[in-house]
Amino acid sequence: MSRTTRLYDLLQVMRQHDGRISGPDLAEALGISLRSLYQDIAALRAVGVEIANEPGVGYVLAPGVLVPPLNLTEAQFDALALGLGRVRDDVTAPLSSSAGEVLGRVSEAMPHEFGEGLARIGLEEKPPADVPPADVDTRPRELVFYTNPLSRGGIVHWMLEELGVPYRTVTLEYGPAMKSPDYLAINPMGKVPAIRHGDEVITEAAAICAYLADAFPAAGLAPPPAARADYYRWLFFAAGPLEGALGLNALGVHPTPEQQVQLGSGDLWTVLDTLSSAVAGRRNIAGDTFSAADIVVGSHLGWGMHFGTIPRRPEFVAYCEGLRDRPARARCEAFVEQALSPLA
């Protein structure tokens, strides 16, 4: 046994012993001679380890001893333990178990007030990660989709199909059904789409898509948080300037340059030019992967070109064609066609 190992074992035995321990008992516990014990204690004292000795009674180690002495404050110890705790809690990290062992040893060595700080930041025993707290309701929340086939609900329908999660559809006819007290309790605007996810109610198509992308991250329909600039920009560009400009144009309202200053949409042609530049030569509008932003923008462009409210610019056609091969979109289109067939 190396002397380094012997010194470490000596400290551990003294930390674990309640009260003083005699020299012979300490030597026996370590499996060394009394002479070696005296030499080791002298070596520890030489580097600043405080070991008290009362003749005829035994040795006792001062609380909070580390070798070499660290002289850290309580806050610094908390910071150290917090970092170790994060490594320990990441079971995929190669140093996870080692970090847990270090935390245990630091806890044993700390004075009482330091130990309380370590407990506050998670050193206490935790239940397994796959065992939820007893007071947490783990039942799946029902997802209800309120829509009409001839509405912006088609945007949310496509989003739901992309998620691949169970949901219940409530189809509402225009008129009294959307203005009924029951539905107005869901959306006081009396419009679709809306969703209810457990006790949460969300309205407005772009907001619903953003919510669902975050609520079901396994579907991968939102970029990582650090890469969401374009994602948020085009999600709400479609919901704001694009919808606003198209709505005014459909009503025959053509704002003057002075009036355009007061509108978030400005004028329709600037909006369309901006969107043309965003999708030109791109398969996806926000990064290199398909996202909820493509669902919202693609739905508006596809619907608008179909009904003639958006011109069939080559950039728009190419972008929408790149989205047509998605099975979820095909299922939504079949749903709309089926709903429209009795009207034909």
Side-chain angles (χ1 to χ4, degrees):
M1 179 189 301
S2 69
R3 189 172 191 187
T4 301
T5 302
R6 222 169 55 225
L7 293 175
Y8 173 77
D9 290 344
L10 170 58
L11 290 173
Q12 290 299 96
V13 170
M14 295 187 73
R15 284 169 180 150
Q16 294 165 6
H17 196 273
D18 185 18
R20 295 180 181 271
I21 180 171
S22 69
D25 288 342
L26 188 52
E28 181 179 359
L30 294 166
I32 60 176
S33 66
L34 272 174
R35 180 181 178 184
S36 295
L37 174 66
Y38 298 149
Q39 291 174 340
D40 290 346
I41 289 176
L44 289 172
R45 283 172 171 167
V47 296
V49 178
E50 187 179 342
I51 301 176
N53 177 33
E54 185 177 344
V57 178
Y59 297 94
V60 64
L61 182 68
V65 169
L66 292 178
V67 178
L70 293 178
N71 296 322
L72 298 181
T73 66
E74 182 178 356
Q76 289 169 334
F77 270 113
D78 279 357
L80 171 65
L82 180 60
L84 288 169
R86 287 178 175 173
V87 176
R88 176 204 58 189
D89 293 342
D90 182 1
V91 295
T92 64
L95 298 179
S96 175
S97 60
S98 297
E101 293 169 1
V102 173
L103 272 172
R105 292 179 182 178
V106 171
S107 177
E108 291 172 359
M110 289 300 95
H112 176 69
E113 63 271 19
F114 280 28
E116 288 181 348
L118 293 172
R120 283 196 306 272
I121 57 177
L123 189 57
E124 67 276 3
E125 184 177 352
K126 296 183 176 180
D130 57 349
V131 179
D135 60 346
V136 173
D137 187 354
T138 59
R139 292 173 298 177
R141 293 183 288 170
E142 184 185 29
L143 182 56
V144 184
F145 170 43
Y146 301 89
T147 188
N148 181 287
L150 296 176
S151 74
R152 294 172 181 82
I155 302 172
V156 176
H157 190 189
W158 182 4
M159 180 74 185
L160 288 166
E161 287 296 311
E162 291 284 355
L163 292 176
V165 299
Y167 64 93
R168 178 165 63 89
T169 301
V170 176
T171 301
L172 298 172
E173 298 296 331
Y174 286 105
M178 289 190 193
K179 307 300 180 183
S180 68
D182 286 345
Y183 186 64
L184 290 177
I186 297 295
N187 186 359
M189 291 287 289
K191 289 181 171 292
V192 292
I195 66 166
R196 180 169 53 78
H197 187 207
D199 295 329
E200 303 294 335
V201 171
I202 307 93
T203 66
E204 316 315 315
I208 294 171
C209 289
Y211 171 86
L212 289 173
D214 288 342
F216 300 96
L221 292 173
R228 291 189 181 179
D230 283 344
Y231 170 75
Y232 286 130
R233 178 185 181 184
W234 299 114
L235 259 179
F236 299 109
F237 183 89
L242 181 60
E243 274 217 52
L246 290 174
L248 289 172
N249 191 64
L251 295 174
V253 178
H254 306 291
T256 66
E258 292 76 15
Q259 291 171 327
Q260 292 168 18
V261 174
Q262 303 175 52
L263 301 173
S265 58
D267 75 287
L268 175 61
W269 302 110
T270 300
V271 168
L272 295 176
D273 290 345
T274 300
L275 196 53
S276 291
S277 298
V279 300
R282 297 186 62 87
R283 183 175 179 85
N284 303 111
I285 197 168
D288 297 327
T289 58
F290 180 81
S291 71
D294 289 303
I295 293 175
V296 175
V297 173
S299 294
H300 277 292
L301 289 178
W303 191 267
M305 289 191 293
H306 179 78
F307 287 98
T309 58
I310 292 178
R312 295 182 61 83
R313 294 186 177 185
E315 300 90 347
F316 295 157
V317 173
Y319 172 71
C320 288
E321 284 297 322
L323 301 174
R324 293 193 64 83
D325 60 354
R326 301 196 67 83
R329 180 170 180 170
R331 290 193 294 272
C332 295
E333 289 179 346
F335 174 78
V336 173
E337 288 177 5
Q338 182 179 3
L340 291 176
S341 58
L343 305 177

